[in-house]
Amino acid sequence: VNKPAGILSQKASPNDHSMVEYLTGYLLEQHQITRKELETFHPSVCNRLDRNTSGLILAGKSLAGLQDFSELLKKRSMKKYYLALVQGRPEQSGRYRAWLKKNAGTNQVKILTQPCDGAAMIETGYEVLWSNGRCSLLKVDLITGKSHQIRCHLASLGYPLAGDSKYGNIAWNRKLRKTSGL
């Protein structure tokens, strides 16, 4: 399923509308599932993306499909990559480790260079696909998968994502909006 930015992958609270509800509605409309079947199984997503991230989400419309996709992801026999337009020009591609600590109250994370209580080890890899010196397109490999990991980890390395209002460079984002006409 192609998830647009601004929509949750799955509900965070009972009143939310997420990709799961869109998927269920679509499958009902296409007669690929019935309301009777929903009494015993609900289609669902196998992976999640942050609300403000767009991209592909794997989903199962049957229990067997959901289990198969989940197993492929768990065993890491299927690779997922993310494209990220970032400020700056990384010197080289690589894999980077750090520790991520989430503040549930602010829904923000911090990247730390050393372990501490409540922080989880993260690892993010990237390959530079293109650069003009001012910005670069990266192919990102999310080796671990924590909240806001790509956005915050790349920003902490000096390469904030274009358009990211939470961890990005506000002045650069403003300039991008002006020059792109958005």
Side-chain angles (χ1 to χ4, degrees), residues 12 37 63 68 74 77 85 88 125 127 140 149 156 170 174 179:
E37 289 172 309
L63 180 58
D68 288 347
K74 182 179 176 184
S77 57
L85 183 64
E127 176 185 345
V140 180
Q149 180 178 328
S156 77
I170 295 167
R174 194 175 301 125
T179 59

Side-chain angles (χ1 to χ4, degrees), residues 27-28 31-39 41:
L27 293 173
L28 285 167
H31 306 289
Q32 293 185 29
I33 60 170
T34 65
R35 294 224 178 262
K36 181 76 173 155
E37 289 172 309
L38 291 176
E39 292 174 9
F41 173 78

Side-chain angles (χ1 to χ4, degrees), residues 118-172:
M121 194 278 293
I122 59 167
E123 190 169 0
T124 309
Y126 64 78
E127 176 185 345
V128 180
L129 298 177
W130 169 88
S131 182
N132 67 4
R134 294 181 307 278
C135 60
S136 303
L137 183 65
L138 306 181
K139 177 181 170 184
V140 180
D141 184 5
L142 189 60
I143 297 148
T144 56
K146 302 294 181 194
S147 294
H148 306 187
Q149 180 178 328
I150 293 172
R151 298 160 62 193
C152 194
H153 200 182
L154 289 176
S156 77
L157 294 170
Y159 311 111
L161 268 68
D164 184 5
S165 59
K166 193 169 273 196
Y167 306 105
N169 180 317
I170 295 167
W172 185 62

Side-chain angles (χ1 to χ4, degrees), residues 79-151:
K79 294 295 287 178
K80 300 181 295 182
Y81 296 99
Y82 302 81
L83 291 177
L85 183 64
V86 299
Q87 182 181 13
R89 178 187 213 141
E91 293 296 316
Q92 61 186 4
S93 302
R95 285 173 72 143
Y96 299 88
R97 278 191 177 172
W99 285 262
L100 180 145
K101 188 167 185 172
K102 185 169 185 174
N103 180 331
T106 62
N107 194 30
Q108 287 193 308
V109 300
K110 282 187 188 178
I111 299 296
L112 307 165
T113 57
Q114 296 181 5
C116 78
D117 286 346
M121 194 278 293
I122 59 167
E123 190 169 0
T124 309
Y126 64 78
E127 176 185 345
V128 180
L129 298 177
W130 169 88
S131 182
N132 67 4
R134 294 181 307 278
C135 60
S136 303
L137 183 65
L138 306 181
K139 177 181 170 184
V140 180
D141 184 5
L142 189 60
I143 297 148
T144 56
K146 302 294 181 194
S147 294
H148 306 187
Q149 180 178 328
I150 293 172
R151 298 160 62 193

